[in-house]
Amino acid sequence: GAWLSRPAFISEETLNLVNSVALLILIPIVDSGLRYLQRKGTVLSPITRMTFGFFLASCAMVWCGVLQQFIDQRGTFVNVPTQGVQYIPDKNMTQLSIFWQAPAYLISAIGEIFAAITGYEYAFSHAPERMRSVVTALFLITSGLASIIGFAYSPFLTNDTLYLLFFVLAAAMGLLTVAFPLLFRGYHGQPNKTPLAAD
């Protein structure tokens, strides 16, 4: 956000709200859409919904990678002794608007609805009753592990190669999108028909 042009009334952090607002608005819309499909005889299993969420997450990272490349083409990063690394825009090129970041937040929010929220539901409903808290906690641990991985590789990132991070994440999510339904293809049934429900 600091490298993009924006109106004076919008701060660099403002677009972070897009994800939260999109979740509040889209969760009931997506839920209604899924219920409509169910009434029409089309039922998307939790595995299918989570796979679609992973696909959308990959698309969001591709968007970020391409956007970052456009940013890199429109300026240079200079190490200013008293201010650290600063982005110096090329005055001969039109700077991108900060609103180009909004689709990434929006796509990510929709992906979160299909992947994360469905994952919470699946972890809770398919676990044995006395282990639901443990299984849900294990599901939540994956978010913590992702943060740890992020902290681990962040020191190796530079502004000139930031776009590579987005494309690597997109590739990883793309592989997961393909592998996930293959690995868990036998888990499409109702809670009482899945191995996790066995007590």
Side-chain angles (χ1 to χ4, degrees):
W3 307 328
L4 301 172
S5 64
R6 64 182 187 277
F9 61 88
I10 295 181
S11 66
E12 298 170 13
E13 296 80 14
T14 300
L15 280 187
N16 291 332
L17 296 174
V18 173
N19 183 271
S20 300
V21 173
L23 284 173
L24 291 173
I25 296 174
L26 292 175
I27 286 175
I29 294 176
V30 171
D31 184 64
S32 298
L34 291 174
R35 291 180 184 277
Y36 173 79
L37 291 176
Q38 188 174 7
R39 289 196 299 270
K40 294 296 183 179
T42 301
V43 180
L44 299 180
S45 71
I47 302 301
T48 301
R49 281 182 277 158
M50 284 188 278
T51 301
F52 183 60
F54 297 149
F55 170 74
L56 290 178
S58 180
C59 291
M61 291 300 100
V62 170
W63 182 280
C64 291
V66 173
L67 179 60
Q68 186 62 47
Q69 283 188 307
F70 278 112
I71 292 172
D72 294 344
Q73 294 170 2
R74 285 167 166 75
T76 56
F77 293 97
V78 178
N79 191 3
V80 180
T82 58
Q83 301 177 6
V85 177
Q86 297 292 313
Y87 178 74
I88 309 301
D90 187 341
K91 295 181 179 179
N92 296 320
M93 300 186 70
T94 303
Q95 295 305 301
L96 297 173
S97 169
I98 195 172
F99 294 110
W100 282 106
Q101 287 185 321
Y105 287 101
L106 182 61
I107 297 171
S108 178
I110 300 173
E112 187 175 348
I113 293 172
F114 279 94
I117 295 179
T118 302
Y120 292 136
E121 173 191 345
Y122 191 93
F124 184 83
S125 64
H126 286 66
E129 185 173 351
R130 67 172 180 266
M131 291 187 64
R132 284 177 174 173
S133 297
V134 175
V135 173
T136 303
L138 290 173
F139 181 83
L140 290 171
I141 285 176
T142 59
S143 298
L145 293 176
S147 298
I148 292 173
I149 294 173
F151 282 122
Y153 63 64
S154 59
F156 303 101
L157 293 174
T158 64
N159 290 311
D160 294 331
T161 60
L162 189 57
Y163 71 95
L164 290 176
L165 168 64
F166 295 121
F167 287 134
V168 168
L169 291 175
M173 291 304 303
L175 290 174
L176 182 60
T177 301
V178 175
F180 184 78
L182 296 177
L183 292 172
F184 297 96
R185 58 183 178 272
Y187 290 77
H188 289 283
Q190 297 300 316
N192 60 355
K193 296 181 181 179
T194 59
L196 280 179
D199 197 349

